[in-house]
Amino acid sequence: MSQRYCLTLDLKDDAALIAEYEKYHQAIWPEIHDSIIAKGITKMEIYRFDTRMFMIMEVDDTFSFEKSAALDAANPKVKEWEDLMWGFQSPVKMRPQVQNGF
């Protein structure tokens, strides 16, 4: 059975940075694609509204955020990608909440 997670973050409010960020995501590195699959993510969609980003992930039964973090920490290419992407991003200043769907 699959589950869906919705995550959000903000991009820095700079049109040139946003354009560069989107360019990277038009052709993600192959190692990033492979790491997404290895985590148990079966589908991922990313949307932007102004500077707010929304990521919707569908995952299989093997996925966990703990497993995902451990795989990321062990992969230098993922670390390089994440460090690069944080140059464009700003964390949302709210505490995440989990709600069951209806």
Side-chain angles (χ1 to χ4, degrees):
M1 180 172 169
S2 66
Q3 285 196 355
R4 184 182 308 173
Y5 295 99
C6 301
L7 307 170
T8 187
L9 61 77
D10 289 330
L11 295 177
K12 294 180 180 175
D13 193 5
D14 179 306
L17 285 177
I18 290 171
E20 187 176 356
Y21 181 84
E22 289 179 338
K23 186 174 180 179
Y24 274 109
H25 281 82
Q26 289 173 1
I28 64 169
W29 301 346
E31 299 89 349
I32 304 310
H33 179 267
D34 294 346
S35 76
I36 290 168
I37 302 302
K39 294 174 189 183
I41 299 170
T42 59
K43 184 176 181 181
M44 180 183 286
E45 298 173 3
I46 299 175
Y47 301 94
R48 180 172 69 85
F49 177 75
D50 194 34
T51 60
R52 178 67 43 99
M53 300 293 296
F54 299 92
M55 180 171 66
I56 302 169
M57 300 185 318
E58 289 186 19
V59 301
D60 64 24
D61 292 338
T62 67
F63 177 84
S64 75
F65 284 102
E66 295 79 14
K67 173 187 167 186
S68 179
L71 288 171
D72 287 352
N75 187 327
K77 204 65 175 173
V78 170
K79 174 88 169 97
E80 181 183 351
W81 175 266
E82 291 298 327
D83 288 346
L84 178 62
M85 293 303 108
W86 272 112
F88 302 101
Q89 302 168 346
S90 300
V92 175
K93 296 174 177 70
M94 300 169 120
R95 184 174 174 193
Q97 298 180 4
V98 177
Q99 296 181 332
N100 293 327
F102 50 90

